[in-house]
């Protein structure tokens, strides 16, 4: 299997792709072409392949980025606001969450650029020369998967949007909002039509391309969401179950024996559990010279870290990361979701609990642990330990290091998620990360299957699906203790299990919305947002730029209305 980095830029398409929404009308007319590639290039074999590859690049705007994490993990039952951050409206659901927020516009525009590139590939495929029909059919299938993927993100975040299924070349202000029914119909049609043309195996021969397994996995997510939407159908859960079983049974995917190894950086990212990932590169020149190929890298290593680097005996380094302190786990996440630390290895393998002295050492008086007035370290000594439970003052005083217990957690000091840490960065301040973002992995598929089975009343089958994930998560010798029985196979249990398995993986806000419990869970478990959140917040505000650049009706208002409540 060859790992091919799907990154070649196709700048002409990038410009054409968003003329209809990306600038003001005056700016549109003044747009300067930055590439000498003419519009016919896509009809050649190299151009067609480059355009297909370019369609993947919009994934890097959403997955593994602060934009994507803000719209999927902020303001949930599992994560609240840390000390820093520019987009706290997503945490607090307050007046900061409006249609002029930069990342809302950026995600919207980038996804539409990707959609229009997909449209161009689909429409122009018949005229392409120098490629076999089989290759053209595969490329069209890939971009149908991508177009469905992009519209599904937009639908979940914003509701019905402008459903464009043909290439937009010239500037236009003619837009309209599709219905939820139209959105789901188009998304499902694209995915079902993509299946015959995609490679029918676990990993593409050019790693990173969409496969039939990836499309079927996305269909699981789509049908689970549709099942709780205004256009739900009686067979949505059955279809989700069928597609999940296909992914699990037909391609040779396997859960890795160790939960932590799923997130091993480098060659470990291409493993038997990964169904679809977004690729990033270690090449710093790519990040700087052509951001369309690598975006700003996978920068989630920045988001979850606590402020270890100003503590006694510590300085910032590459291994422990550059801590942006954006996300702090809620007490519900730590005390309920990750309550079992005896049988379940996921608390230990999800959070960092130990920091070692990375300075010349010495005696320090800048302590947060109120059981001691100073600490003395030499290089390599433990400086900070997080036991995850409360210790008495005497227990802490007996240790030569600082003990960070739950009563001392604050907006800067808290358990740090390690799934996305990136010690391969070139220096301690470097922001773009190189690890792939795992969009779909098998444990998620098992839990989605369990969800469908619970909803279908197939309790015994749901137990089997959940136990596949829980046995893998067990400490050695604790597998039997991790297994659940039929009494536990409930939606409440599935919700918690998804929290344990998928914490931080850009799923939680979408899950809570799908289950119809976003407002209830945030009110119960997230003190940051409890006072502000309301049903309005099951959708994000439409970017104001989109509203302003659409046609006006006879009453002078935009034909593209804002979501209610914003």
């Amino acid at each position: 299997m060859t790992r091919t980095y799907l990154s070649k830029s196709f700048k002409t398409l990038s410009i054409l792709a968003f003329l209809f929404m990306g600038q003001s009308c005056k700016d549109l007319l003044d747009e300067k072409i930055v590439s000498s590639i003419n519009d016919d290039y896509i009809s050649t074999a190299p151009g067609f392949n480059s355009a297909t590859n370019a369609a993947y690049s919009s994934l890097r705007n959403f997955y593994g980025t602060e934009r994507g994490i803000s719209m999927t993990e902020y303001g949930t039952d599992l994560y609240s606001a840390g000390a820093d951050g520019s987009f706290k409206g997503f945490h607090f659901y307050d007046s900061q969450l409006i249609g002029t927020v930069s990342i809302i516009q950026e995600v919207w525009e980038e996804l539409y650029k990707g959609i229009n590139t997909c449209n161009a590939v689909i429409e122009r495929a018949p005229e392409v020369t120098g490629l076999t029909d089989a290759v053209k059919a595969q490329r069209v299938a890939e971009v149908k998967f991508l177009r469905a993927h992009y519209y599904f993100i937009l639908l979940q975040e914003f509701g019905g949007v402008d459903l464009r299924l043909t290439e937009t070349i010239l500037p236009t202000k003619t837009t309209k909002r599709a219905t939820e029914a139209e959105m789901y119909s188009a998304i499902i049609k694209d995915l079902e039509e993509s299946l015959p043309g995609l490679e029918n195996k676990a990993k593409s021969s050019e790693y990173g391309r969409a496969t039939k397994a990836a499309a079927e996995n996305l269909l699981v997510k789509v049908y689970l969401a549709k099942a709780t939407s205004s256009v739900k159908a009686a067979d949505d859960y059955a279809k989700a179950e069928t597609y999940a079983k296909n992914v699990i049974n037909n391609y040779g995917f396997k859960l890795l024996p160790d939960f932590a190894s799923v997130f091993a950086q480098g060659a470990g990212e291409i493993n038997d559990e990964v169904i679809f990932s977004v690729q990033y590169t270690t090449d710093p020149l790519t990040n700087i010279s052509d951001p369309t190929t690598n975006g700003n890298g996978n920068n989630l290593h920045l988001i979850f870290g606590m402020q270890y680097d100003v503590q006694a005996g510590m300085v910032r380094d590459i291994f422990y990361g550059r801590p942006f302190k954006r996300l702090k786990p809620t007490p519900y996440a730590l005390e309920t979701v990750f309550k079992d630390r005896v049988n379940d290895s996921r608390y230990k393998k999800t959070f960092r609990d130990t920091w070692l002295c990375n300075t010349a050492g010495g005696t320090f008086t800048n302590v947060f642990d109120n059981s001691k007035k100073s600490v003395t370290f030499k290089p390599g000594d433990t400086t900070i330990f997080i036991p995850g439970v409360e210790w008495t003052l005497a227990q802490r005083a007996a240790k030569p290091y600082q003990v960070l217990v739950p009563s001392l957690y604050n907006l800067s000091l808290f358990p740090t998620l390690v799934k996305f840490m990136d010690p391969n960065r070139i220096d301690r301040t470097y922001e773009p990360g190189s690890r792939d973002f795992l969009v779909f992995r098998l444990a998620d598929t098992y839990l989605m299957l369990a969800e469908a089975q619970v909803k279908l009343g197939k309790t015994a089958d749901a137990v089997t699906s959940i136990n596949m994930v829980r046995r893998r998560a067990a400490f050695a010798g604790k597998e039997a203790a991790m297994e659940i029985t039929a009494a536990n196979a409930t939606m409440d249990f599935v919700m918690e299990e998804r929290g344990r398995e998928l914490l931080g993986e850009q799923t939680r806000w979408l899950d809570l919305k799908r289950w119809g419990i976003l407002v209830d869970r945030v009110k119960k478990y997230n003190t940051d947002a409890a006072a502000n959140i309301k049903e309005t917040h099951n959708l994000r505000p439409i970017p104001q730029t989109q509203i302003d650049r659409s046609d006006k009706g006879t009453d002078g208002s935009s034909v593209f209305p804002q979501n209610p409540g914003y």
Side-chain angles (χ1 to χ4, degrees):
M1 177 181 67
T2 302
R3 178 168 181 163
T4 300
Y5 182 65
L6 298 178
S7 62
K8 186 172 181 180
S9 178
F10 200 77
K11 288 189 174 68
T12 299
L13 275 180
S14 295
I15 292 167
L16 295 175
F18 211 70
L19 286 176
F20 70 101
M21 288 183 206
Q23 306 288 337
S24 70
C25 288
K26 182 178 186 300
D27 290 341
L28 284 171
L29 298 177
D30 293 339
E31 185 70 41
K32 294 181 179 179
I33 301 298
V34 296
S35 171
S36 61
I37 298 173
N38 65 45
D39 193 44
D40 294 330
Y41 180 58
I42 194 174
S43 298
T44 68
F48 189 72
N49 280 323
S50 293
T52 303
N53 291 358
Y56 283 86
S57 66
S58 293
L59 292 168
R60 298 188 189 96
N61 181 272
F62 187 75
Y63 291 111
T65 68
E66 187 171 16
R67 300 180 197 93
I69 210 75
S70 298
M71 299 178 78
T72 54
E73 295 290 340
Y74 279 29
T76 66
D77 55 349
L78 302 182
Y79 269 110
S80 58
D84 294 339
S86 303
F87 305 106
K88 288 192 173 179
F90 290 95
H91 278 304
F92 293 103
Y93 299 97
D94 60 9
S95 59
Q96 300 174 82
L97 186 57
I98 53 178
T100 55
V101 173
S102 62
I103 61 172
I104 290 177
Q105 180 177 329
E106 289 161 4
V107 167
W108 180 279
E109 293 188 354
E110 187 61 39
L111 292 180
Y112 270 112
K113 287 178 184 178
I115 287 166
N116 204 55
T117 304
C118 293
N119 290 342
V121 171
I122 293 167
E123 287 189 5
R124 302 191 192 195
E127 65 193 51
V128 172
T129 59
L131 290 176
T132 65
D133 288 343
V135 170
K136 287 196 288 184
Q138 181 184 336
R139 297 294 178 260
V140 168
E142 288 175 51
V143 298
K144 285 190 173 184
F145 163 83
L146 291 171
R147 184 169 70 177
H149 198 145
Y150 297 150
Y151 272 129
F152 188 50
I153 294 171
L154 288 167
L155 173 61
Q156 293 173 100
E157 294 283 348
F158 300 102
V161 297
D162 195 9
L163 185 59
R164 291 178 176 264
L165 301 174
T166 57
E167 184 184 5
T168 301
I169 297 176
L170 298 176
T172 180
K173 297 176 72 176
T174 302
T175 63
K176 66 176 183 177
R177 295 196 66 171
T179 65
E180 197 167 44
E182 290 169 333
M183 295 292 297
Y184 274 111
S185 177
I187 290 165
I188 291 170
K189 182 175 184 289
D190 265 354
L191 289 173
E192 289 179 342
E193 288 181 354
S194 77
L195 296 177
L198 294 170
E199 289 184 87
N200 188 16
K201 52 187 178 182
K203 301 287 187 290
S204 170
S205 54
E206 293 182 279
Y207 184 76
R209 295 194 182 279
T211 62
K212 184 178 179 182
E216 290 195 306
N217 201 79
L218 183 51
L219 276 162
V220 182
K221 291 183 177 291
V222 170
Y223 275 113
L224 288 180
K226 181 173 177 288
T228 60
S229 74
S230 65
V231 293
K232 61 186 177 184
D235 60 352
D236 285 337
Y237 287 118
K239 288 180 177 178
E241 180 190 35
T242 296
Y243 281 119
K245 285 182 175 179
N246 288 350
V247 174
I248 290 167
N249 297 327
N250 295 347
Y251 303 99
F253 294 114
K254 293 180 289 187
L255 295 175
L256 299 190
D258 176 44
F259 173 78
S261 64
V262 176
F263 305 97
Q265 193 171 4
E269 292 166 287
I270 307 175
N271 62 59
D272 289 338
E273 187 167 331
V274 176
I275 299 166
F276 184 69
S277 64
V278 174
Q279 296 172 269
Y280 289 96
T281 177
T282 56
D283 182 3
L285 293 179
T286 299
N287 294 319
I288 296 168
S289 64
D290 191 355
T292 63
T293 62
N294 204 46
N296 290 315
N298 181 344
N299 59 24
L300 296 191
H301 62 91
L302 301 166
I303 305 299
F304 296 91
M306 78 169 197
Q307 196 171 26
Y308 75 90
D309 53 345
V310 298
Q311 307 306 324
M314 301 299 300
V315 294
R316 181 186 301 171
D317 67 12
I318 296 175
F319 177 76
Y320 291 121
R322 183 177 177 181
F324 272 22
K325 310 182 293 297
R326 297 290 198 263
L327 286 158
K328 175 181 178 290
T330 62
Y332 167 72
L334 297 173
E335 297 166 12
T336 300
V337 174
F338 287 96
K339 181 179 181 179
D340 183 359
R341 319 280 175 81
V342 174
N343 303 305
D344 195 330
S345 71
R346 284 174 293 190
Y347 175 83
K348 176 70 174 176
K349 295 173 180 177
T350 296
F351 298 104
R352 172 163 288 127
D353 61 8
T354 304
W355 283 257
L356 305 180
C357 179
N358 61 1
T359 69
T363 298
F364 306 87
T365 58
N366 58 320
V367 294
F368 59 77
D369 182 349
N370 57 358
S371 72
K372 46 188 72 76
K373 293 184 178 180
S374 66
V375 284
T376 301
F377 304 123
K378 62 180 185 297
D381 284 350
T382 297
T383 59
I384 304 169
F385 176 65
I386 304 180
V389 295
E390 203 64 30
W391 283 11
T392 67
L393 205 66
Q395 286 175 310
R396 288 188 276 133
K399 301 298 181 182
Y401 44 79
Q402 297 200 81
V403 182
L404 180 59
V405 291
S407 62
L408 296 178
Y409 295 167
N410 59 41
L411 296 182
S412 297
L413 296 174
F414 46 77
T416 291
L417 187 79
V418 296
K419 288 179 177 179
F420 309 116
M421 287 296 163
D422 193 336
N424 291 344
R425 294 174 299 121
I426 57 176
D427 64 48
R428 64 184 183 175
T429 64
Y430 192 64
E431 294 186 16
S434 63
R435 67 160 59 243
D436 290 352
F437 184 87
L438 311 184
V439 180
F440 303 151
R441 62 183 182 91
L442 191 62
D444 182 13
T445 311
Y446 271 115
L447 294 177
M448 290 192 296
L449 174 59
E451 181 177 336
Q453 290 167 335
V454 168
K455 292 293 189 178
L456 291 167
K458 298 182 176 181
T459 304
D461 292 338
V463 169
T464 299
S465 301
I466 293 168
N467 282 340
M468 289 294 295
V469 176
R470 287 183 61 79
R471 278 194 297 271
R472 190 275 293 277
F475 284 115
K478 301 291 187 178
E479 291 81 5
M482 282 286 283
E483 292 183 351
I484 67 164
T485 64
N488 302 114
T490 65
M491 275 305 301
D492 283 344
F493 191 89
V494 170
M495 293 170 188
E496 282 193 7
E497 191 67 21
R498 286 185 66 81
R500 282 184 283 272
E501 182 69 27
L502 301 168
L503 186 72
E505 295 181 48
Q506 294 195 206
T507 62
R508 193 61 175 184
W509 188 91
L510 303 172
D511 284 348
L512 295 179
K513 176 185 172 172
R514 176 175 82 250
W515 297 326
I517 61 170
L518 173 66
V519 174
D520 178 64
R521 295 294 280 239
V522 170
K523 282 184 177 293
K524 285 181 179 177
Y525 301 122
N526 191 329
T527 57
D528 282 354
N532 296 325
I533 193 166
K534 48 186 180 291
E535 293 302 324
T536 291
H537 297 120
N538 281 291
L539 293 175
R540 309 301 193 179
I542 299 294
Q544 190 62 42
T545 48
Q546 170 66 30
I547 295 169
D548 293 343
R549 294 165 187 169
S550 296
D551 281 331
K552 301 295 186 289
T554 55
D555 63 353
S557 63
S558 174
V559 298
F560 206 102
Q562 181 56 271
N563 279 326
Y566 290 105

